[in-house]
Amino acid sequence: MIERLLPDDVSCAATREETVPDGTLFPEEEALMARSVAKRRNDFATARACARRAMAGLGLPPVAVLHGHRGKPLWPEGIVGSLTHCHGYRAAALAREQDVLSLGIDAEPHAPLPEGVRELVTLPAERERIGPQAEEGSGALHWDRVLFSAKESVFKTWYPVTGVELDFVEADLTMHQESDPGGGGTFGAARGTFTARLLLTDPALPTTLRGRWRIEDGVIATAVLVRPNWREDGGA
């Protein structure tokens, strides 16, 4: 599903499997997971397995993927990328930095956010915009979770380029839908785009990011990508 959101010069790999065979992790990765609970280890390992497949898609040999500040994946020199995992879906997306400045992907279960979380991760203006959408025939489309996932992709794209950490309320997102849910009370594939206006005061930083979202088989996927000329274009 992630591959439908990104251009052809991005190598994507995904799986619905929750576990991978023993021996999937490199020794350096095993060391990172030595004290982790089973769920955390499985999330880490399945995402790394996807990363290795995405590397192969770029003609690269498999290497360990460690992490830096706030879990930022550390990619081989000249490579940019992003990882994501949620129940029932794991994915990786990689590209050469000569083609792509930064990218971010996220996957979430297609379900409402837990009680109280919506108010913490959205702005009043965002809640006002998605409220009418939910009331006007969107059916089972959970806009709050789509918005949350989109913000995750925005932050994953933004931080590697700027080194500036964003809070959830520092990005104001407008969502657009391009297809409708399936009938009969069930939710079919839906897709759309979004625009993120970054509420920053630094005039040297771009203020806009754009991305895409898609829902299939109970999973939301979102992606943002910026090209090397992004700063000059002001993020447009």
Side-chain angles (χ1 to χ4, degrees):
M1 181 164 51
I2 286 290
E3 69 276 4
R4 299 183 185 217
L5 303 179
L6 291 163
D8 291 341
D9 55 358
V10 178
S11 178
C12 299
T15 182
R16 295 269 180 175
E17 297 297 325
E18 297 289 326
T19 60
V20 291
D22 290 340
T24 295
L25 295 180
F26 281 70
E28 308 97 301
E29 296 168 331
E30 288 280 7
L32 288 178
M33 292 291 102
R35 298 178 181 271
S36 298
V37 298
K39 180 184 184 306
R40 168 64 177 142
R41 177 185 171 82
N42 288 339
D43 290 344
F44 184 94
T46 49
R48 265 63 188 176
C50 289
R52 248 84 83 178
R53 287 168 49 205
M55 290 176 192
L58 293 176
L60 300 173
V63 298
V65 181
L66 306 183
H67 55 67
H69 181 59
R70 294 194 64 178
K72 175 182 176 292
L74 302 178
W75 301 109
E77 184 176 355
I79 300 299
V80 299
S82 184
L83 301 174
T84 189
H85 51 76
C86 73
H87 179 70
Y89 192 79
R90 289 89 160 87
L94 275 68
R96 299 187 184 277
E97 65 179 11
Q98 66 191 40
D99 302 317
V100 175
L101 179 64
S102 185
L103 64 91
I105 63 172
D106 186 69
E108 299 287 335
H110 184 233
L113 288 171
E115 184 176 354
V117 174
R118 173 180 167 130
E119 287 69 28
L120 294 176
V121 302
T122 61
L123 294 161
E126 292 172 323
R127 294 194 291 273
E128 184 176 349
R129 287 194 294 268
I130 67 176
Q133 288 176 304
E135 296 168 4
E136 295 173 2
S138 293
L141 201 163
H142 300 298
W143 280 109
D144 55 351
R145 185 79 74 156
V146 179
L147 180 62
F148 174 81
S149 180
K151 288 196 174 190
E152 288 283 353
S153 288
V154 166
F155 301 160
K156 289 180 180 181
T157 304
W158 173 262
Y159 180 73
V161 177
T162 65
V164 176
E165 296 184 14
L166 287 173
D167 190 83
F168 281 102
V169 295
E170 292 181 304
D172 185 359
L173 270 63
T174 301
M175 314 300 295
H176 310 281
Q177 186 175 356
E178 296 178 348
S179 61
D180 296 321
T186 61
F187 190 86
R191 68 177 187 271
T193 62
F194 57 89
T195 301
R197 182 170 61 91
L198 305 178
L199 308 179
L200 303 171
T201 58
D202 188 341
L205 296 175
T207 57
T208 305
L209 283 169
R210 292 183 174 85
R212 301 174 66 192
W213 61 269
R214 187 176 182 90
I215 304 173
E216 286 183 17
D217 300 325
V219 174
I220 302 164
T222 59
V224 175
L225 177 145
V226 291
R227 297 293 185 181
N229 61 350
W230 179 54
R231 284 182 182 273
E232 289 75 14
D233 289 347

